[in-house]
Each structure stands twice: as C-alpha cells, then as structure tokens.
Amino acid sequence: MFKRLFNTRTAPWVFIAAMAVIYLALPVGVDALVLPNPYFVQLGILTAVACTCIAIGYRLPLLDHRFALDAPRIRIDSRSFHWTVWGTFGIFLVITLVTADSIPIVSAFRGATAAELALQRGDFLKTRTGAEAALIYLSTLFVSALLPYSLALHFIQKSRSRFLLLAIFLAYSLSFLQKALFINVLFPLLYLASQGTRASTSKVIAIVGGSVALLFGVTLLAFGGADGPASEAAVAASDSDYFLATYLPANSVEHLIWRSTAVPMFSASDTLLVHAEQFGGQPLWGATSSFFAGLFGLERVNMERLVSEYQWGWSDIANTNSVYITEAFVNFDWPGVVLLSLLVGQVLRWFSRSRDEAFKALWPIFCFAIFTSGLIGTLLSNGYALIFMLALFGRIAVVPRRPARTPTPAAPRSPQKP
C-alpha cells in the first residue's frame, strides 16, 4: 500500500483526491450543512475545474523526449554538487544562528510561553532588515528543494555522511518550531523507503511513527509545553466556529486536526472573499508575486498579509497562505486556474517519467507546497524552477576520479662485462 501511495505514477491521483476532499467536498458540505458561505461554493467549483485540468495536463506527453535514455544532458559531478549545497548551507546556518536574537526551540525548553514563542518564531527570520532580510529567502530555497534533493542522493548513494546531514537538516528544521518544515525531511525518505527493493513495511511504519511523535512534540513546544484544554469559556465560545479563524483548539491534538482540515479550507475561501471585497474581484495580473510585480512595474499586493489581517487583525509578520488555485484565480481569473493546473499536471508527469530517484522523491514536497501555498512562489522562492531545469537538462553523477599515475620503474640494466 505504501509503495503504491508514494509511487510517482499514482501521484496525480493522490493529489487530486486530497484536493477534492479538502477544497471541494469539505467546503461544499460545510456550506450545505453547517455554515452557508458563497465563497465555499466558489472554492469548490474552482477546485473541480483545477482537478480536471491537472488530470489533462498529466496526460500530455509534451516533454517526454527529455527523459529518454539518449537525451543530451549536462553532467554535474555529485561531489561538487553536495559540497556546494551543504557548504553554503553551513555558512548560512552559522550566520543565521549567530545573528538571531533568540532561538525558539531553546526558549521552549527554558519554559517560554506560547505567546513568547510565537513572537520569536516570527522574529527568527521574518523581521530581519538590511542584508539579513535575504536570509528568509535562502532558508526557503535550502529547506524546500536543495537540501531534500541532496539528502535523497546521499541515501541513494549510501553515503557515510547521510545520517549526520539528516541530523543537521532536522535540527535546523526544528530550531524555530516551524512544524511544516520537518515534512521536507520526512517525505523524501518515506518515498525512498517505500519504493526501495529493500524497504520493509516495518521501516515505513517506523518513519511514519517517529515523524508523528516528532510533530506532536514540536506542537507541544509551540504551545509552551501546555497540552491542557483551553479555558471553558473560550472553548464554549468557539464550538460553532470550527470552520472560521476564530476557533480555539482545546489541545495540541485538536490543533493538529484543525490545522490539517479546516484551516486550509477557510484560508482559501477567505482569500477569495478578500479579493472580492478589497479588489472587486478584478485580476491582479501577478501583483501578488514580488518577482512579477517588479518585472511588470506593478504595485505589490501582499495578499497573504491582507487575508491574515481579515482573519486575526494586522500583524507585521503574520501571513495566511492558501492553495495555489486561489493565487491563480486572484491573479489571472479562470484562465489562470486552467493554465496553472495544466502546468501542475505536466510537472507531475515529469516526476513519473524521470529516472532520477532523488528528483522523484521530491514530488510529495512539491504537492504539499502548492496544496498550502501558491505555485509561483513554489517555483521561484522555493527553488523548484531550478530543480525542474536540472531534471530536464542535467544529471547528477558520480564522476570517478583518475588514479594517480605511478611512474613506471626503469628496467634494470644488465651488468657490463669487464
């Protein structure tokens, strides 16, 4: 079952099913039975169109020739690649930790409250100024694409340093209590374990079980170590608001369930609402992206910040991300939903056609990224445009080193006759 679930040939259908449950069935059902909201219905219709286009895009053999055995590729030495990725990450890691005012996970073990930890998580990268403002973009590039890809290669090649690098990656991912980042560590290894000929069910279960325990532990730390119920008044006041941002989970388990189901759904519908109320439903033509806003001279629209303001009030660091469908719609209307969904389907086809197992191991991370945030940011900020260029035109290979030439010993001279 695990092998089929993580197989790249079933990836589009797994992704479509997840989209249909959270962004189609759930909002339409909630609108009909619990909380009428026209934006729930709109989200469901957008999702139905997107899922159809993903299926169509996956069926189009547009770039299959790039994955043929005889396709010309740029050969990249794996040693040089790994040293470049992990060396620059090491420099980034030292700079980030040394210049941080506080490290959230350290503060959590020292007994900091949930409010203090929330502030520290935002300050860790988001509030940097000057040259340090680039750290958050470098962090996203490393943890979303480059490190997972390199780590997967290390495990495929059975490198002796693979577990050390795994520990470094995991430690950084947990250092500022961002629960979603550990997925970038988990998913590639889970893919390799499920698809490898030597992978056993027990190994897969161990990875899943350990990851769930780790996620639960990080959630406890993010709550300041408290797992008791919220105040009775707060819980009673929020029982009817489960599908709204005003809901207050009673404990960490309920928080995980709420964050995994209701939050993605109403974040997407709230994005549609803010777009309709503040921009009249008019296309923004890429203004939500810093790259396209700068490229076309548009005024930058921080849609994630505006949605967060609508949900919880203004904050200089808080953002509310939502599924790529809403980004496509608010920027390019229905044609954007169709075209970007066709592209998603085509990308999933690249994962299935590739012979690079390290690249294939990234498909769950890519799908999770666009399931919870925009496609444009995933391609540019998260580095997947670079990863896809590498998959289409490059090849990471172990280049054998030439053995040192030993001088040929001179033939012994025969003794001369006296």
Side-chain angles (χ1 to χ4, degrees):
M1 181 184 72
F2 288 109
K3 185 172 184 176
R4 181 175 299 178
L5 179 65
F6 280 88
N7 193 288
T8 52
R9 294 187 180 276
T10 59
W13 319 119
V14 171
F15 183 64
I16 287 173
M19 293 277 290
V21 170
I22 299 298
Y23 298 115
L24 198 166
L26 184 60
V28 171
V30 171
D31 173 78
L33 302 174
V34 181
L35 185 66
N37 185 334
Y39 297 103
F40 288 167
V41 178
Q42 183 183 12
L43 176 61
I45 297 172
L46 287 169
T47 303
V49 173
C51 289
T52 302
C53 293
I54 291 172
I56 294 173
Y58 179 71
R59 294 294 187 183
L60 299 176
L62 299 180
L63 294 174
D64 284 9
H65 63 281
R66 291 303 316 155
F67 300 100
L69 286 174
D70 58 349
R73 290 181 172 274
I74 301 173
R75 196 179 187 189
I76 302 171
D77 179 21
S78 65
R79 298 183 187 89
S80 300
F81 177 78
H82 292 315
W83 274 105
T84 301
V85 170
W86 290 95
T88 53
F89 176 69
I91 297 172
F92 158 83
L93 187 58
V94 171
I95 294 174
T96 301
L97 295 179
V98 168
T99 58
D101 293 331
S102 59
I103 301 175
I105 195 168
V106 175
S107 299
F109 283 115
R110 290 178 176 176
T113 65
E116 292 172 339
L117 293 175
L119 182 62
Q120 289 183 18
R121 287 199 303 271
D123 290 341
F124 189 74
L125 287 174
K126 291 182 180 180
T127 60
R128 303 291 186 113
T129 58
E132 291 183 21
L135 293 177
I136 189 171
Y137 298 102
L138 292 174
S139 176
T140 303
L141 175 64
F142 278 121
V143 302
S144 299
L146 294 180
L147 295 188
Y149 181 68
S150 176
L151 188 63
L153 281 173
H154 273 283
F155 272 83
I156 291 171
Q157 298 167 357
K158 298 187 182 300
S159 167
R160 288 179 295 180
S161 60
R162 63 189 185 277
F163 291 107
L164 173 62
L165 297 178
L166 172 61
I168 294 173
F169 187 5
L170 191 60
Y172 174 71
S173 299
L174 299 178
S175 63
F176 54 113
L177 300 178
Q178 289 291 345
K179 296 179 288 298
L181 289 185
F182 92 102
I183 289 175
N184 298 340
V185 182
L186 165 69
F187 277 163
L189 300 184
L190 194 55
Y191 169 85
L192 295 177
S194 64
Q195 302 302 307
T197 55
R198 298 180 181 179
S200 63
T201 304
S202 60
K203 291 181 180 179
V204 175
I205 293 175
I207 292 174
V208 174
S211 301
V212 172
L214 183 61
L215 178 59
F216 181 73
V218 172
T219 303
L220 279 179
L221 288 174
F223 273 114
D227 191 40
S231 68
E232 293 182 5
V235 174
S238 62
D239 278 345
S240 61
D241 299 332
Y242 189 83
F243 297 100
L244 297 173
T246 53
Y247 185 75
L248 297 175
N251 52 59
S252 57
V253 174
E254 186 178 340
H255 177 80
L256 284 175
I257 297 173
W258 181 64
R259 290 284 301 180
S260 302
T261 55
V263 172
M265 186 268 287
F266 69 67
S267 294
S269 65
D270 285 347
T271 301
L272 299 176
L273 182 152
V274 170
H275 177 241
E277 292 187 349
Q278 298 192 23
F279 300 95
Q282 297 300 310
L284 300 179
W285 304 112
T288 64
S289 164
S290 300
F291 175 79
F292 284 113
L295 184 64
F296 298 117
L298 303 172
E299 182 180 355
R300 170 81 162 92
V301 176
N302 194 332
M303 183 63 71
E304 294 87 355
R305 189 71 51 83
L306 294 175
V307 176
S308 177
E309 179 187 19
Y310 168 78
Q311 293 175 328
W312 290 290
W314 179 259
S315 169
D316 291 333
I317 60 175
N319 288 324
T320 296
N321 297 320
S322 66
V323 63
Y324 86 92
I325 298 172
T326 59
E327 176 197 61
F329 182 77
V330 302
N331 280 294
F332 309 111
D333 213 271
W334 287 96
V337 176
V338 171
L339 292 176
L340 290 187
S341 298
L342 289 172
L343 175 59
V344 169
Q346 182 63 196
V347 165
L348 292 175
R349 185 178 181 90
W350 300 346
F351 281 116
S352 67
R353 301 293 295 181
S354 175
R355 291 177 172 83
D356 182 355
E357 289 297 317
F359 169 68
K360 294 161 81 75
L362 299 183
W363 83 259
I365 301 179
F366 172 77
C367 286
F368 181 79
I370 63 174
F371 189 85
T372 56
S373 60
L375 177 61
I376 297 173
T378 299
L379 292 175
L380 299 179
S381 299
N382 291 25
Y384 274 87
L386 176 63
I387 292 294
F388 293 145
M389 291 294 291
L390 180 62
L392 291 170
F393 302 103
R395 182 167 71 93
I396 305 293
V398 177
V399 178
R401 297 183 179 181
R402 294 182 179 180
R405 295 184 62 181
T406 56
T408 304
R413 296 180 178 180
S414 55
Q416 297 182 353
K417 294 181 181 180

